[in-house]
Amino acid sequence: MASGFFISFEGIDGAGKSSHIAPLAEALRAQGHSVTVTREPGGTPLAEKLRAMLLHDEMDALTEALLVFAARRDHLRCVIEPALARGEVVLCDRFTDATFAYQGAGRGFNPEILTMLEQWVQAQPTLPEGHIRQPDITLWFDLPPQVAAARLADARQPDRFEALNQDFFVRVAQGYASRAAQAPNRFVRLDAAQTPEAVWQQLTTALAGRGWLAGAQP
Ligand SMILES: Nc1ncnc2c1ncn2[C@@H]1O[C@H](COP(=O)(O)OP(=O)(O)O)[C@@H](O)[C@H]1O
Ligand SMILES: Cc1cn([C@H]2C[C@H](O)[C@@H](COP(=O)(O)OP(=O)(O)O)O2)c(=O)[nH]c1=O
């Protein structure tokens, strides 16, 4: 079976993830790859409905965790796994690291339960025994929360998460840092405080170092 490549984009709100996904998709297509661009929570009609609830309805942290993993299951089954099986590159705006950062570190929800849900939801019969589906590379846009807040101040109407205070995002940023420490080969840390051009340069250099995107121009 053809095996594609799975890249996730992570970081706190305002870190610059979304700004880099379309240019990366274009650069990969220009080099002959088929690319699926998607996002979490979301990516399927069902998961987009769950996303709207997560972003706008009041609920506790367990309900948040169950909704994001339900959305993820549908997204994996209907979009990500089929795209990988076709040999495509999948670019996904957030994945499970966001759950550990937001519901785990941010909300203070039990990470052991998140790990259990991760094992169930990301089980995939085509993978070798003991493996679950994870991104091949996670591009982590690391940015101090106060810089992200300044970027978002005028940019858009905040959702339930973006409206939370600075302390929440300090914990979320720490959550990403500890996830990155647990999977150093998967995570690529980008200094997202630099200019968009410099962040793009870091991103393409990291991918080129792994055999992707030779000579891509911003
Ligand atoms: N490197 C950067 N320097 C300054 N502003 C940036 C940079 N990257 C993105 N932005 C701006 O910050 C805001 C948030 O960027 P966005 O890509 O939507 O972040 P995210 O998807 O991580 O929430 C946007 O207004 C965007 O134009
Ligand atoms: C994937 C995921 C996202 N989220 C949150 C983080 C974001 O604040 C929000 C939506 O993410 P995002 O798509 O980055 O928002 P936007 O479209 O505004 O850039 O969902 C979680 O809390 N847990 C998760 O597992």
Side-chain angles (χ1 to χ4, degrees):
M1 185 188 291
S3 169
F5 199 74
F6 183 12
I7 303 177
S8 64
F9 289 68
E10 294 285 1
I12 60 174
D13 293 271
K17 299 173 300 299
S18 311
S19 310
H20 288 84
I21 293 178
L24 179 58
E26 217 171 289
L28 287 163
R29 286 186 184 117
Q31 298 196 350
H33 298 286
S34 294
V35 181
T36 289
V37 175
T38 189
R39 69 172 180 182
E40 290 217 345
T44 69
L46 171 61
E48 290 290 334
K49 289 185 204 165
L50 297 175
R51 175 191 177 92
M53 293 177 196
L54 182 82
L55 296 190
H56 303 297
D57 297 345
E58 279 312 312
M59 64 189 77
D60 73 356
L62 172 57
T63 310
E64 282 183 8
L66 293 171
L67 285 188
V68 292
F69 272 114
R72 184 161 299 133
R73 179 68 188 177
D74 195 56
H75 188 212
L76 274 166
R77 204 173 64 83
C78 299
V79 173
I80 296 177
E81 293 297 345
L84 294 175
R86 291 192 300 270
E88 296 184 11
V89 180
V90 175
L91 303 184
C92 191
D93 192 346
R94 301 186 183 280
F95 196 64
T96 304
D97 301 309
T99 313
F100 281 84
Y102 282 76
Q103 281 66 50
R107 298 284 197 212
F109 186 70
N110 186 339
E112 286 174 21
I113 298 178
L114 297 181
T115 300
M116 204 171 70
L117 291 168
E118 179 184 36
Q119 294 294 321
W120 278 356
V121 166
Q122 291 161 231
Q124 167 57 25
T126 59
L127 293 173
E129 172 113 18
H131 286 69
I132 59 171
R133 178 63 68 197
Q134 291 288 19
D136 295 296
I137 291 181
T138 295
L139 297 170
W140 170 33
F141 290 71
D142 189 18
L143 187 69
Q146 64 274 22
V147 181
R151 283 185 190 172
L152 289 182
D154 306 316
R156 60 196 183 211
Q157 185 69 19
D159 61 36
R160 267 178 77 238
F161 292 96
E162 288 167 352
L164 289 167
N165 63 25
Q166 193 95 336
D167 290 350
F168 178 82
F169 286 104
V170 169
R171 293 196 299 277
V172 172
Q174 286 165 350
Y176 275 122
S178 62
R179 266 303 259 191
Q182 288 161 26
N185 294 331
R186 172 165 68 84
F187 270 78
V188 171
R189 179 186 173 276
L190 305 174
D191 176 0
Q194 295 186 9
T195 62
E197 295 73 22
V199 175
W200 173 257
Q201 190 64 46
Q202 294 177 59
L203 188 160
T204 53
T205 302
L207 291 180
R210 286 168 162 76
W212 296 82
L213 269 189
Q217 296 302 311

